[in-house]
Amino acid sequence: MKTTSLSYSSLFLFLAILSCSSWHAQSHAHDDFLQCLSLHLQNNTEISHIVYTPNNPSYLSILRSSIRNRRFEFASNPRPHVIVTPMYESQIPAIVLCAKENGMQIRTRSGGHDYEGLSYRSKVPYVVLDLVNLSEITIDVEQKTAWVQAGAIIAQLYYKISETSRTLAFPAGACPTVGVGGLFSGGGYGPMLRKFGLAADNIVDARMIDVEGRILDRKSMGKDLFWAIRGGGGASFGIITAWKLKLATVPETLTIFSISQTTNKMQNRARSRDGNTLPPISLMIY
Ligand SMILES: Cc1cc2nc3c(=O)[nH]c(=O)nc-3n(C[C@H](O)[C@H](O)[C@H](O)COP(=O)(O)OP(=O)(O)OC[C@H]3O[C@@H](n4cnc5c(N)ncnc54)[C@H](O)[C@@H]3O)c2cc1C
């Protein structure tokens, strides 16, 4: 009996030491990361506006702000040592270098729609780089092009295009809250696919930051990397900060309709005909 209570108290002591040392290691890691950032970024007030550690009252709300899969909100899920929400592209190289220097992985998040939560979860110490503040969209109507920062969601892109022109559009996804960072990196299909192809087919330039913290564009990254980032999957090659898009010309008036059929109705109609083929169901875009 004595041995059991002794082993319980030793176990408790061991767990307490373990959780204390892991808390100590965690706070040490983010202290070192913050110190590194303050060396690389000129202005210290900048840092206090873009960095959220677990002690910050806004940490949880920022983390949850774009978690689209609710089961990843539970406290049992891994949480980042630090969340950084850069205001400018020029702040990102320092974040990459400081994460590397402190052995922390970077999880880049745009719209947060990753099915496995890979933009905000990891099994090793990590930083969430949340691009929510990088969502600027500039449209050149004459050139029929647009620059969109990676933190924008496709609803913002569609809205901005429609505000600027009634005859320009971009072939991307159907769900409005998906981020252009992850969507275009994986190809990006939507209702205009048949006529204009994937979103990635209509990207003509991009800006990204590589593992060395270099800011690259289409010319400096080279054609292989430019090919790979358009469909090779988010987080595979670096941090995309912006895409340049070739806009599609569309008619001013758009007609959309759909025909709903139950399986029974379709089968009855098919049987009433000579052939065995089912009548087509169509969703017309123009
Ligand atoms: C409800 C829903 C609807 C969808 N609808 C469509 C659709 O209509 N068409 C379609 O093609 N797909 C669709 N998808 C799939 C969607 O395109 C992918 O899940 C995409 O990866 C989500 O991008 P995100 O930026 O929103 O997600 P995030 O979770 O932010 O990112 C997804 C992945 O990309 C990485 N990543 C994000 N931003 C960057 C960046 N700037 N640079 C480098 N890596 C980055 C992340 O680290 C993560 O690995 C849908 C998904 C959901 C959940």
Side-chain angles (χ1 to χ4, degrees):
M1 198 61 182
K2 213 173 176 184
T3 326
T4 318
S5 70
L6 193 67
S7 47
Y8 274 140
S9 52
S10 330
L11 181 67
F12 178 75
L13 190 67
F14 173 72
L15 288 176
I17 292 172
L18 196 71
S19 76
C20 242
S21 59
S22 90
W23 177 84
H24 181 72
Q26 182 160 334
S27 67
H28 206 259
H30 66 61
D31 285 351
D32 289 350
F33 175 79
L34 294 185
Q35 205 179 356
C36 172
L37 268 194
S38 64
L39 290 176
H40 283 84
L41 296 178
Q42 305 296 322
N43 186 344
N44 267 349
T45 49
E46 260 184 21
I47 300 179
S48 64
H49 287 124
I50 62 169
V51 171
Y52 301 85
T53 61
N55 307 329
N56 188 306
S58 304
Y59 169 88
L60 264 190
S61 59
I62 299 276
L63 178 65
R64 288 179 174 151
S65 60
S66 66
I67 293 184
R68 305 295 174 191
N69 190 335
R70 306 302 296 269
R71 76 194 158 112
F72 294 143
E73 280 189 7
F74 298 138
S76 53
N77 281 287
R79 285 186 176 160
H81 282 38
V82 186
I83 305 170
V84 192
T85 57
M87 307 294 289
Y88 312 104
E89 180 192 68
S90 57
Q91 294 170 327
I92 301 177
I95 299 164
V96 172
L97 297 176
C98 291
K100 250 172 75 172
E101 205 175 294
N102 290 286
M104 293 158 97
Q105 199 175 64
I106 293 184
R107 293 302 206 186
T108 310
R109 181 162 75 173
S110 291
H113 278 74
D114 192 274
Y115 295 111
E116 294 152 288
L118 294 181
S119 52
Y120 49 86
R121 298 170 75 238
S122 174
K123 287 184 179 153
V124 298
Y126 66 110
V127 180
V128 165
L129 176 63
D130 192 321
L131 301 179
V132 61
N133 292 323
L134 294 180
S135 59
E136 207 175 284
I137 301 166
T138 334
I139 303 201
D140 184 333
V141 177
E142 265 182 31
Q143 296 295 316
K144 297 185 181 169
T145 57
W147 271 105
V148 54
Q149 286 190 308
I153 57 172
I154 54 173
Q156 289 172 308
L157 176 65
Y158 293 161
Y159 185 77
K160 184 80 183 186
I161 297 174
S162 69
E163 230 185 13
T164 317
S165 162
R166 285 182 59 85
T167 53
L168 292 177
F170 189 70
C175 174
T177 47
V178 175
V180 305
L183 181 89
F184 299 174
S185 298
Y189 61 88
M192 291 164 79
L193 170 88
R194 286 191 197 188
K195 195 163 170 67
F196 298 105
L198 293 169
D201 298 328
N202 294 280
I203 290 170
V204 291
D205 203 342
R207 290 177 68 83
M208 68 169 273
I209 288 146
D210 73 0
V211 67
E212 305 300 340
R214 291 174 300 198
I215 300 181
L216 306 174
D217 64 5
R218 178 177 184 165
K219 198 167 167 211
S220 54
M221 77 178 74
K223 68 176 175 110
D224 284 350
L225 186 51
F226 184 62
W227 176 80
I229 58 170
R230 292 171 301 149
S236 304
F237 305 100
I239 298 155
I240 307 292
T241 56
W243 304 104
K244 185 177 183 184
L245 317 174
K246 181 180 77 186
L247 300 178
T249 306
V250 294
E252 205 171 316
T253 309
L254 182 74
T255 308
I256 297 177
F257 65 89
S258 58
I259 302 170
S260 305
Q261 294 266 293
T262 60
T263 325
N264 277 348
K265 264 193 198 168
M266 282 164 62
Q267 279 165 351
N268 289 341
R269 276 173 60 187
R271 264 186 230 115
S272 68
R273 290 180 175 187
D274 283 336
N276 285 328
T277 50
L278 296 177
I281 303 184
S282 43
L283 169 68
M284 300 294 293
I285 305 297
Y286 297 115

